[in-house]
Structures are given as C-alpha cells and as structure tokens.
Amino acid sequence: MGTSSSARRNRFPLILLATVATGLGVYLFTLFFAARLSEGPHTSFLKIPAVALWALLAYFTVRLVNAALFDFAFRIRRGYEAPTLVRNIFTLVIFTVLFVLIFKWFYSEINLGALFTTSAIFGVIIGLALQDTLGNFFSGISLQADRPFQIGDVIVVSQQKHTGVVEGITWRAIKIRTFQNHIVLVSNSNAAKEAIEVAPRDNLNARLIFFSTVYTDSPAKTIHVVREAVRDADNVSEKITPIVRIRNLGESSIEWEIKYWLEDYAKYNDTDALVRQRTWYALRRNGLTFAFPTRTLHLERKVTARPTTAEDEIADRLSAVDVFAPLSTDELRQLAMATVGHVFAPGETLIRAGDEGSSMFVVHNGRVQVQLTESGKSRPVAVLSEGNFFGEMALFTGEPRTASVVALEETEVLEIGHAAMKHLFETNPSLVESISWTIAERRAGLAASAEQATPNSLAESAGLLTSIKRFFGLR
Ligand code: CMP
C-alpha cells in the first residue's frame, strides 16, 4: 500500500510534463491551422487530429487534477488513501463531459444525445453484455458509500473461505491479501451478497484460544498462571487484561478458553501461536497438566477422606496449630486421620453466619476472611491463614455460627468433627482450656467489631470452659 502511494507520487511530475507537452501541442496546432480549421473543405479532415489533441489534453488535465486532489489533498485531510473506485469514477465522468464538450465544439452539427438514445437495440445489447460489470460497478459504489471496511482492515468473506488484509477496492472487486500472501479478488456483487466479518485496523479485536487441563488441576491456579503468561506476550494489548475462563467441564478434561485482545489483528496467526506457546511453558513450570483426549477410569473407593493431602503432611500442619501444641505425635496422627480435606475457590463461603455447625476447620493452604453481616453489608473482622483455625465456637458451644467465613484465595481446609475433638478432650483436659481462651478472645473481637460492650475475657473464658465441658459431657 505504501509503495503504491509513493509510486503514484513519483508519477505526478510525468503527468504534469505530459499535460504541458500536450498543451503546447494543442497551442502550436491551433496556431498553424487556425485559419484552415475555420474554412474550406479540408476542415473536417483537420478536425480529427484537433479533437484527438484536445481530448488528449483533457485526459492529462483530468489525471493531473485527480492526482492533485486524491494523492495530496484527500490524503492530508482524511488521513487515508482515496479509494481507487472513487478516483476512477471521477476520471471517467469528468473526462466524458470534457470529451462531449470538445466534440460538440468541433462537430456542432452532430447530435450525440440522439445517437445514444435512439438506438434501443444498442442499449439492450450493451445492457446484457455489461450485466455483471454493471452489477459489480454499482455494488462497488454502494461499498464505497457504506464504507464497511477500509484498506488495511482484516476481513473474512465467503464463510471463512477468504481471510486477509484488504488491499484495495476497485470498480470490479475487493482485493484481499491472504495470510499465505496470495491475492484473492472477491467481486463486488458477490461481496454485497455475503456476510463479511470485519476486524477494523484501529479497533481492539479479540481472539479466542482453547486448551484443556486435567480435573485434578486447580482452576484458580490455572487462571492466574495462564493469564500472567499471556498478558505480556508480544502484540497482546495491554489495554485489556486477557481473560482465562472455563468454557466446559468436558468428559475427561476441564476445557478452557483464553480471550485476548490484539494490537495488530493482521498478525493474529503469530500471536495465537505465541499465546499457545506461553501457555504450554506456564503450565509446565507450575506443575499443571494438559489433558489428553483420553478416558480415565477412576475406581470409586468407599470413603475418600482426603483427596489432596497425605496424612503426615496433615499431622505436620496440625502440630503447627497453637491450641494443638499439647498433643502427642500419636494423637496428632489420629487427629490427622480423622480430618477431611476440602478445597474452596476464591470468593466461596465456607461458613455462613447463623447456620448450625458441628465441626471446626484448620486452614491448610490459602487465606480466609471472617466477616460479620450488618444491615446487608459484610464487614471484615479478621483474616486467617495457614495454621489458623475457625468454626470452633459453634462446635464447642453448640450455638449457631457467629460469623461468615469466605475464601480470599484458593484455600484448602481440614475439617475436624465433634467426635474427634471429644476424644482429644478426654485425654487432654488442658486443650479445653486453651480453646476456651481463643473463643473468649474472638468473642471480644466480634463484640468490638459490632461496637458492643467488650465482655470481660477472663470471666467469659471461665464460663465457656464450664459450658464446653457440659456440651461434650466431660467432667
Ligand atoms: P463459629 O461461630 O463456629 O463460625 C464462625 C467462625 O469465625 C467462628 O466460629 C470463629 O472461628 C471465627 N471467628 C469469629 N470471630 C472471630 C474473630 N474475631 N477473629 C477470628 N476468628 C473469628
């Protein structure tokens, strides 16, 4: 496109020279034959070269005006190249008018209009012969008027058959350069009938890329990892963050789509490939796995107490929980065996205030937020992370849940039920005491947060101790 416009500009002096030369020719011709032209029998013979010379002058003048108007004025004012079709129509119309005027000037006795209008057969023949051409011509005009796309836009025509960058629109066809560097000409009348998909050059156009992962991979982690890998790839627009989302829970895999926006849509093949490549490396680095189109048979076991973590690891985690400090290694192992692991997505609610509850939870991975709900609005009370526990209040007192707990990120928790705790209390009386302290402190925190009077923690804890013992049937 750039080369063709500079080539046009280079032609400008040539046209100028031709115009001046023809003008000079006309001048000299008129000078020499002026007297002869207006008299005598040779006149009509001499008129032929005169008409030809004038017509030539008219042609070059029109070309000159065309070049001046469209190559310079139009480009500067509008910022883009004038369509070839408009230029051609301009040349054709002005030249025809000038030619008719010249002809009439020399042959005033011949009626040109009558020549065309009286010949009906001539009209029919021309009409039939030019049916397609005229169809293309008028479709071309409507395309120009409508301006659904411009030179440099990527378009898809004929139901995905032709995709490429628009190089030009002539009176006959749209010229597309495909991504195999071929030229495809779609006739204007065909283009007018087809649905055309346009990706304008100055628009942020998006692409979708698909991939699948195995079911054991965490969705939250996959989203984070892939999004970060894609967002700084070349030609991926920084204006909109790419979106990574689950499009289907397939038979044997989680099916994903990446939606990203491009700076230059014409390079989408390369960018798609780069995005896929980045995804591959990112998944590999982060221990995530592409799903093969295979069928995996899972034999169902009766109780899968813990899908994601091993017992030792859990015992380790429990030993780091402050209230479980007095427990022996054996007791910790037993407790570990009695826990059930659950994974929650960011934003999911683990516990809802007011619900009944008969278990407590230890945060194994991730973070949760404890929230109070007041007049429809949630207010954060505390953030708990790995090694912290929650849900003990309802478990130990039998009262409804005092607050809601929501995952701030992907979070794995270990659930400990009533029976497991009762067993521990019987062998570790000091455990009841330390837990009742925590409960008393948290109650104080809740009260402060709800702007209630802070109760006396010591008295509170003593009261709690008794009620927990009573609730668990301990002496
Ligand atoms: P439970 O009442 O069973 O359910 C909500 C849980 O939120 C509660 O037990 C506590 O574990 C936890 N919680 C309530 N208040 C606080 C607080 N101030 N700080 C930390 N955790 C709290």
Side-chain angles (χ1 to χ4, degrees):
M1 204 177 65
T3 42
S4 73
S5 74
S6 64
R8 265 192 214 128
R9 237 164 282 158
N10 292 343
R11 274 210 308 264
F12 189 78
L14 256 176
I15 301 172
L16 187 67
L17 200 73
T19 318
V20 173
T22 334
L24 202 67
V26 168
Y27 174 72
L28 290 176
F29 187 88
T30 324
L31 204 68
F32 283 119
F33 300 110
R36 293 252 230 109
L37 270 171
S38 53
E39 48 139 275
H42 337 273
T43 330
S44 53
F45 169 70
L46 266 179
K47 272 180 187 170
I48 296 171
V51 168
L53 264 176
W54 273 100
L56 208 60
L57 179 63
Y59 175 72
F60 283 127
T61 314
V62 171
R63 289 282 308 267
L64 197 68
V65 173
N66 184 318
L69 204 66
F70 292 110
D71 281 346
F72 298 106
F74 191 93
R75 230 189 129 76
I76 291 166
R77 280 200 60 167
R78 297 278 184 96
Y80 60 89
E81 203 140 312
T84 322
L85 185 65
V86 174
R87 301 177 63 129
N88 290 351
I89 292 175
F90 175 86
T91 310
L92 193 72
V93 170
I94 306 280
F95 178 70
T96 312
V97 170
L98 286 179
F99 184 78
V100 168
L101 287 178
I102 293 166
F103 195 86
K104 282 215 87 155
W105 175 262
F106 283 97
Y107 298 100
S108 48
E109 65 281 5
I110 299 176
N111 186 349
L112 266 183
L115 202 70
F116 284 108
T117 47
T118 49
S119 176
I121 295 179
F122 179 76
V124 170
I125 293 172
I126 291 280
L128 283 176
L130 294 184
Q131 208 176 22
D132 281 350
T133 315
L134 287 177
N136 281 330
F137 180 74
F138 286 111
S139 304
I141 291 180
S142 74
L143 275 178
Q144 292 296 347
D146 208 18
R147 291 212 138 272
F149 48 78
Q150 284 187 21
I151 291 170
D153 291 354
V154 174
I155 64 169
V156 183
V157 215
S158 301
Q159 287 158 5
Q160 312 288 324
K161 242 177 100 191
H162 305 305
T163 306
V165 183
V166 178
E167 287 221 322
I169 307 162
T170 65
W171 60 272
R172 202 188 76 74
I174 303 169
K175 192 169 153 195
I176 305 172
R177 187 173 292 274
T178 68
F179 294 118
Q180 289 79 43
N181 207 20
H182 301 160
I183 298 286
V184 172
L185 294 168
V186 181
S187 71
N188 289 342
S189 50
N190 277 348
K193 283 181 224 140
E194 297 273 352
I196 303 183
E197 191 182 322
V198 184
R201 201 170 32 156
D202 49 5
N203 185 45
L204 267 183
N205 301 294
R207 296 279 303 166
L208 294 177
I209 300 290
F210 306 112
F211 69 98
S212 316
T213 56
V214 293
Y215 267 107
T216 41
D217 284 350
S218 137
K221 184 172 174 187
T222 309
I223 290 173
H224 177 75
V225 162
V226 175
R227 192 178 48 209
E228 291 313 304
V230 169
R231 71 192 302 175
D232 60 323
D234 249 10
N235 200 27
V236 171
S237 172
E238 286 171 9
K239 293 190 189 113
I240 309 180
T241 312
I243 296 173
V244 180
R245 58 191 171 198
I246 297 178
R247 56 191 277 267
N248 189 28
L249 294 175
E251 237 181 85
S252 56
S253 61
I254 303 183
E255 293 165 20
W256 294 89
E257 83 181 10
I258 307 170
K259 184 174 183 179
Y260 75 93
W261 284 261
L262 291 104
E263 298 283 351
D264 180 359
Y265 191 73
K267 293 190 189 141
Y268 74 74
N269 281 318
D270 288 339
T271 317
D272 279 2
L274 185 64
V275 164
R276 292 189 189 105
Q277 196 197 65
R278 289 281 166 94
T279 307
W280 188 90
Y281 281 107
L283 289 196
R284 190 176 174 130
R285 259 198 320 276
N286 290 280
L288 299 166
T289 319
F290 278 111
F292 298 102
T294 51
R295 205 169 270 244
T296 314
L297 283 183
H298 287 286
L299 297 178
E300 193 183 337
R301 276 192 216 116
K302 201 84 205 293
V303 186
T304 46
R306 201 167 304 111
T308 48
T309 36
E311 247 138 53
D312 286 344
E313 200 190 323
I314 293 172
D316 270 359
R317 163 64 64 227
L318 296 176
S319 70
V321 178
D322 47 6
V323 288
F324 296 140
L327 302 188
S328 68
T329 317
D330 254 9
E331 284 171 327
L332 281 173
R333 277 197 129 260
Q334 275 176 20
L335 183 61
M337 268 157 52
T339 63
V340 182
H342 303 280
V343 181
F344 290 87
E348 267 195 295
T349 303
L350 290 79
I351 277 183
R352 220 172 285 276
D355 282 0
E356 295 292 311
S358 55
S359 49
M360 63 176 278
F361 303 86
V362 172
V363 181
H364 189 40
N365 291 304
R367 278 179 325 133
V368 297
Q369 188 176 62
V370 182
Q371 301 174 345
L372 277 183
T373 310
E374 281 164 4
S375 50
K377 275 194 189 157
S378 63
R379 186 204 307 210
V381 177
V383 172
L384 305 174
S385 53
E386 290 166 18
N388 293 145
F389 61 91
F390 59 89
E392 77 294 342
M393 292 168 132
L395 171 65
F396 297 136
T397 59
E399 287 164 12
R401 299 286 190 197
T402 52
S404 295
V405 179
V406 176
L408 288 179
E409 54 196 59
E410 188 185 85
T411 302
E412 185 176 358
V413 292
L414 305 170
E415 183 177 9
I416 307 171
H418 183 277
M421 283 315 290
K422 182 168 191 236
H423 179 70
L424 285 180
F425 285 157
E426 280 164 356
T427 45
N428 288 276
S430 61
L431 197 60
V432 188
E433 207 166 311
S434 53
I435 284 186
S436 55
W437 264 106
T438 310
I439 296 179
E441 262 170 43
R442 287 184 171 178
R443 277 193 177 170
L446 283 180
S449 182
E451 281 158 9
Q452 291 170 7
T454 317
N456 177 345
S457 284
L458 204 64
E460 168 96 344
S461 144
L464 265 171
L465 199 65
T466 332
S467 60
I468 292 174
K469 280 186 174 166
R470 200 179 315 123
F471 185 65
F472 277 82
L474 306 168
R475 271 172 287 119

